[in-house]
Amino acid sequence: MLILTEKEIQNHYVMKDAISDLKKGLNSKKQGLITNPHRTVIEIPDNQASVLYMPGAELSQKIASVKVVSIFPKNPKHGMPTTQGILMLTDAQTGKHLCMMNASYLTRLRTGGLSGIATEKLARKDVKTLGVIGTGAMAFEQVLGVLEVRDIDKINLFNRTQEKAEQFKERLIDFGVKQPITIAANADEVVQAADVICCATRSNEPVFNGDLLKDGTHINGVGSYLPHMQEVDLTTIQKASKIVADDLKGVEEEAGELIHADRESDWSFTDLYGELSGLPDHNGLVRENDKEITFFKSVGAAYFDLVVAIGIYSKLQEIGVGSEVEV
Amino acid sequence: MLILTEKEIQNHYVMKDAISDLKKGLNSKKQGLITNPHRTVIEIPDNQASVLYMPGAELSQKIASVKVVSIFPKNPKHGMPTTQGILMLTDAQTGKHLCMMNASYLTRLRTGGLSGIATEKLARKDVKTLGVIGTGAMAFEQVLGVLEVRDIDKINLFNRTQEKAEQFKERLIDFGVKQPITIAANADEVVQAADVICCATRSNEPVFNGDLLKDGTHINGVGSYLPHMQEVDLTTIQKASKIVADDLKGVEEEAGELIHADRESDWSFTDLYGELSGLPDHNGLVRENDKEITFFKSVGAAYFDLVVAIGIYSKLQEIGVGSEVEV
């Protein structure tokens, strides 16, 4: 069995790879070649923690996987990360257990990659200013996903704790991002200037005012992944002419702001434009004009991890990275 | 993360350890400290194969686990094993992924250990002759489980292919089993002589005639783990004064011969005496006299693997066995 660390994956598998592998995966999903059973959540009540088991299978590449993620919110107090994820791949032709890999960067990368694909299909071709609301754990790869698909010439960040926005800016610069990066005093500033907005927060209340959105804006929202959360407000949902889900079933069960809108307003889940895998797959845009506001809502699903993990395994195995162990 | 191979586990963790750890686990189950969610089965239709994901948690020792078992019935044609299992442990206090271990020997050992515990509680104290029907993959540790808890002085084997019974006998001798071992021409011979019978087959039809059972016999049945299978006949089920399940929920869903009896006869699941974890936990016997026929039906459950895996991890980590890898 091949063991792959986060560092090994980061050194050899980048956003461009993830977007390419996710597109293959979306195609498999469309063809009915993805098995996506319900995840199992084990609650650890004493620690207000949980361990999630997310199995899945890709029947064209014939690989099954399970991602195991522990979520321990009190961990940072003890100097440990809140979430710790690993993923295991099993050959679905021989039953052999092939690979175990760290799943932290993988999860962030696939989330950013999905926003990249959504931006490629939904955002105007001439977008220039990227606004980022929330510079926490998932935000970095959101920026990379958008940069991969559009010629952005300015990045505008907002975070509740400004210091963290400063650190995030430094990290982008260190990574090699050349575009000028500014830090906004509030979310309004970000929204009023943005052509594309990435939200990656853990907020329970909307993080910006939808009235301020410019015509033609595209929004990626990867927070609000639990029913009680809200990241995008009802105005934005109502103004969006096309709302696309990463996974329809997942979004209906988990996307807090949409669940809220479905219950409390005229908007309903039947108004969703569709699922990322179901959008027209010609290379053109899905948006019909430059005025439309579009919104991509992402909550994640095991098969996105799976198809990126297959890509990581294939690439790193081929170039001889990782440690082979007998189990 | 600690990696443990089958060989390392076999060299350092034996039936006595498994029985001791399973007793701890049964006690946790009784106290409501076991989380035992439904397993997830991913079907691989092209290969008539499946991959099973079995998560669970032990809330007193604070460890969660998932066993992943691939079952590929066509594998032996290509020189590969039908089942390939691994198990991963996660610390339920910190969310840290602690250990990945081979789960083949572990599964056989916990199955044998459960039959050992059942035999200890249900078989007469003076049983002498052990009969074994079916000498396939699971049978070896069945014998070890019984030998651990009773002073057996004769072992009598039957297998449809006699050559495999001969090989099984050699394996027992190589392992250090001192009791005389004979090979019977048919199952009837085994049953007529036996005080304790272990059945470990994949049969779809009963493997012996219950009319031939001596008074006071105890039977362990670990085959018939799917609804269409049958290992023990209706006569045995009706003659048994106490039928004990390893896990009530599991047996009601999976134990073919009991499902069949429940549907087709006066016997019903309400006639089950109980679950192994619910039997009186004083050291005395559960059987009330030397005439009773008792039957232990075992189909397995994730938490049995889990508690044995915790024991393996604790013991091998303490003595410094296994390879530490970064993931």
Side-chain angles (χ1 to χ4, degrees):
Chain A
M1 174 182 275
L2 190 67
I3 309 282
L4 297 172
T5 66
E6 177 159 29
K7 189 118 262 161
E8 287 165 343
I9 301 170
Q10 272 178 319
N11 286 346
H12 298 283
Y13 188 91
V14 297
M15 184 55 74
K16 189 189 280 290
D17 302 312
I19 286 179
S20 162
D21 288 321
L22 283 165
K23 283 181 178 173
K24 275 188 228 163
L26 290 168
N27 200 32
S28 296
K29 175 76 175 3
K30 195 174 179 177
Q31 292 175 52
L33 293 170
I34 293 285
T35 306
N36 189 33
H38 226 275
R39 68 189 182 186
T40 301
V41 180
I42 290 188
E43 303 286 351
I44 314 291
D46 285 3
N47 301 61
Q48 292 148 41
S50 49
V51 186
L52 277 59
Y53 295 91
M54 290 169 275
E58 213 285 11
L59 297 177
S60 71
Q61 298 183 79
K62 302 239 180 207
I63 305 260
S65 72
V66 60
K67 184 167 87 161
V68 182
V69 181
S70 60
I71 306 177
F72 281 62
K74 293 177 182 170
N75 263 3
K77 282 183 201 161
H78 313 289
M80 292 188 68
T82 302
T83 66
Q84 295 172 80
I86 62 176
L87 185 145
M88 201 187 70
L89 292 177
T90 301
D91 186 327
Q93 284 189 289
T94 65
K96 190 167 183 260
H97 304 301
L98 299 171
C99 181
M100 187 173 58
M101 63 179 76
N102 185 291
S104 302
Y105 167 66
L106 178 160
T107 302
R108 300 193 305 271
L109 196 69
R110 67 94 164 136
T111 309
L114 289 170
S115 291
I117 294 171
T119 303
E120 189 178 27
K121 289 182 177 281
L122 289 163
R124 293 181 347 249
K125 294 218 166 182
D126 63 349
V127 291
K128 291 295 168 201
T129 302
L130 168 60
V132 178
I133 298 176
T135 60
M138 300 298 277
F140 193 81
E141 285 77 11
Q142 291 297 309
V143 175
L144 301 188
V146 172
L147 294 186
E148 194 65 38
V149 300
R150 285 291 183 267
D151 289 324
I152 295 297
D153 64 13
K154 185 176 187 316
I155 301 171
N156 205 1
L157 310 176
F158 171 71
N159 195 63
R160 270 189 316 182
T161 312
Q162 191 176 325
E163 195 191 340
K164 289 188 181 164
E166 303 276 3
Q167 290 163 358
F168 189 82
K169 175 179 168 177
E170 290 310 312
R171 230 183 113 199
L172 286 169
I173 293 168
D174 288 349
F175 189 81
V177 171
K178 300 288 181 229
Q179 289 84 345
I181 303 169
T182 53
I183 293 169
N186 51 56
D188 287 359
E189 261 184 39
V190 170
V191 172
Q192 283 166 318
D195 301 316
V196 178
I197 300 172
C198 288
C199 296
T201 69
R202 300 187 62 173
S203 183
N204 293 327
E205 284 160 36
V207 295
F208 69 85
N209 176 1
D211 287 324
L212 303 177
L213 286 165
K214 293 197 296 186
D215 278 354
T217 302
H218 171 69
I219 305 137
N220 297 310
V222 303
S224 191
Y225 51 84
L226 290 172
H228 70 272
M229 291 175 151
Q230 285 188 61
E231 188 171 62
V232 161
D233 68 359
L234 188 56
T235 305
T236 302
I237 293 167
Q238 288 171 331
K239 281 174 86 170
S241 61
K242 293 187 173 70
I243 301 181
V244 171
D246 61 346
D247 180 81
L248 282 177
K249 205 173 66 174
V251 162
E252 287 187 20
E253 289 175 12
E254 296 161 23
E257 73 261 283
L258 294 183
I259 292 169
H260 183 259
D262 181 77
R263 282 198 200 125
E264 309 286 329
S265 79
D266 285 349
W267 188 88
S268 94
F269 278 109
T270 58
D271 296 327
L272 277 175
Y273 183 70
E275 184 174 84
L276 200 54
S277 69
L279 301 184
D281 62 0
H282 55 77
N283 282 328
L285 282 182
V286 174
R287 73 160 51 231
E288 291 160 59
N289 61 59
D290 284 354
K291 302 268 183 211
E292 283 186 85
I293 288 174
T294 52
F295 174 31
F296 173 60
K297 180 66 214 163
S298 180
V299 294
Y303 60 91
F304 298 129
D305 300 306
L306 165 57
V307 298
V308 169
I310 295 173
I312 291 171
Y313 172 69
S314 305
K315 188 170 185 194
L316 273 61
Q317 193 208 29
E318 201 179 307
I319 57 177
V321 171
S323 321
E324 196 65 45
V325 299
E326 189 200 338
V327 182
Chain B
M1 175 180 274
L2 189 67
I3 309 283
L4 297 173
T5 67
E6 176 159 30
K7 189 117 263 159
E8 287 166 341
I9 300 170
Q10 273 178 317
N11 286 346
H12 298 284
Y13 187 91
V14 296
M15 183 55 74
K16 191 191 278 294
D17 302 312
I19 286 180
S20 161
D21 288 322
L22 283 165
K23 285 181 177 174
K24 275 189 231 163
L26 290 168
N27 199 33
S28 296
K29 175 75 173 9
K30 195 174 179 177
Q31 292 174 53
L33 294 170
I34 294 285
T35 306
N36 188 34
H38 225 278
R39 67 188 184 189
T40 301
V41 180
I42 291 188
E43 304 286 352
I44 314 293
D46 285 3
N47 301 61
Q48 292 146 40
S50 49
V51 186
L52 279 57
Y53 296 90
M54 290 170 274
E58 213 284 11
L59 298 177
S60 70
Q61 297 183 81
K62 302 240 181 204
I63 304 260
S65 73
V66 61
K67 185 167 87 162
V68 182
V69 181
S70 59
I71 305 178
F72 281 63
K74 293 177 182 170
N75 264 4
K77 283 185 203 162
H78 313 291
M80 292 190 69
T82 303
T83 66
Q84 294 171 82
I86 62 174
L87 184 145
M88 202 187 69
L89 292 178
T90 301
D91 186 327
Q93 283 188 289
T94 64
K96 189 167 184 260
H97 304 301
L98 298 171
C99 181
M100 188 174 57
M101 63 179 77
N102 184 291
S104 303
Y105 167 67
L106 178 159
T107 302
R108 299 193 304 272
L109 197 69
R110 67 92 165 139
T111 309
L114 289 170
S115 292
I117 294 171
T119 303
E120 189 178 28
K121 289 182 177 280
L122 289 163
R124 294 180 347 251
K125 294 217 167 183
D126 63 350
V127 291
K128 290 296 168 199
T129 302
L130 169 60
V132 177
I133 298 176
T135 59
M138 299 299 275
F140 193 80
E141 286 78 10
Q142 291 296 309
V143 175
L144 301 189
V146 173
L147 294 185
E148 194 66 38
V149 301
R150 285 291 183 269
D151 288 325
I152 296 297
D153 63 14
K154 186 175 187 316
I155 301 171
N156 204 1
L157 309 175
F158 171 70
N159 195 64
R160 270 189 317 183
T161 312
Q162 191 176 324
E163 195 192 339
K164 289 188 182 163
E166 303 276 3
Q167 291 164 357
F168 190 80
K169 176 180 168 178
E170 290 310 312
R171 231 185 113 198
L172 286 170
I173 294 168
D174 289 349
F175 190 80
V177 171
K178 299 289 180 228
Q179 287 86 345
I181 303 169
T182 54
I183 293 168
N186 52 56
D188 287 358
E189 261 183 43
V190 170
V191 173
Q192 284 166 318
D195 302 315
V196 178
I197 299 171
C198 288
C199 297
T201 70
R202 299 187 62 174
S203 184
N204 292 328
E205 284 160 35
V207 296
F208 68 86
N209 174 1
D211 288 323
L212 302 177
L213 286 166
K214 293 196 297 183
D215 278 356
T217 302
H218 172 69
I219 305 136
N220 297 309
V222 304
S224 190
Y225 51 84
L226 291 172
H228 70 272
M229 291 176 153
Q230 286 189 61
E231 188 172 60
V232 161
D233 67 358
L234 188 56
T235 305
T236 303
I237 292 167
Q238 287 170 331
K239 282 174 85 171
S241 61
K242 292 186 174 69
I243 301 180
V244 171
D246 62 345
D247 181 81
L248 283 176
K249 205 174 68 176
V251 161
E252 287 187 20
E253 288 175 12
E254 296 161 23
E257 73 262 284
L258 295 183
I259 291 169
H260 183 259
D262 181 76
R263 282 198 200 127
E264 308 287 329
S265 79
D266 285 349
W267 188 89
S268 94
F269 278 110
T270 57
D271 296 326
L272 276 176
Y273 184 69
E275 184 176 85
L276 200 54
S277 69
L279 301 185
D281 61 1
H282 54 75
N283 282 329
L285 282 179
V286 174
R287 74 158 51 231
E288 290 161 59
N289 60 60
D290 282 355
K291 302 270 185 211
E292 285 186 82
I293 288 173
T294 52
F295 175 31
F296 173 61
K297 180 65 214 164
S298 179
V299 295
Y303 60 92
F304 299 129
D305 301 306
L306 164 58
V307 298
V308 168
I310 295 173
I312 292 170
Y313 172 68
S314 304
K315 188 170 183 193
L316 273 64
Q317 193 208 29
E318 203 179 306
I319 58 177
V321 171
S323 321
E324 196 65 46
V325 299
E326 188 201 339
V327 183

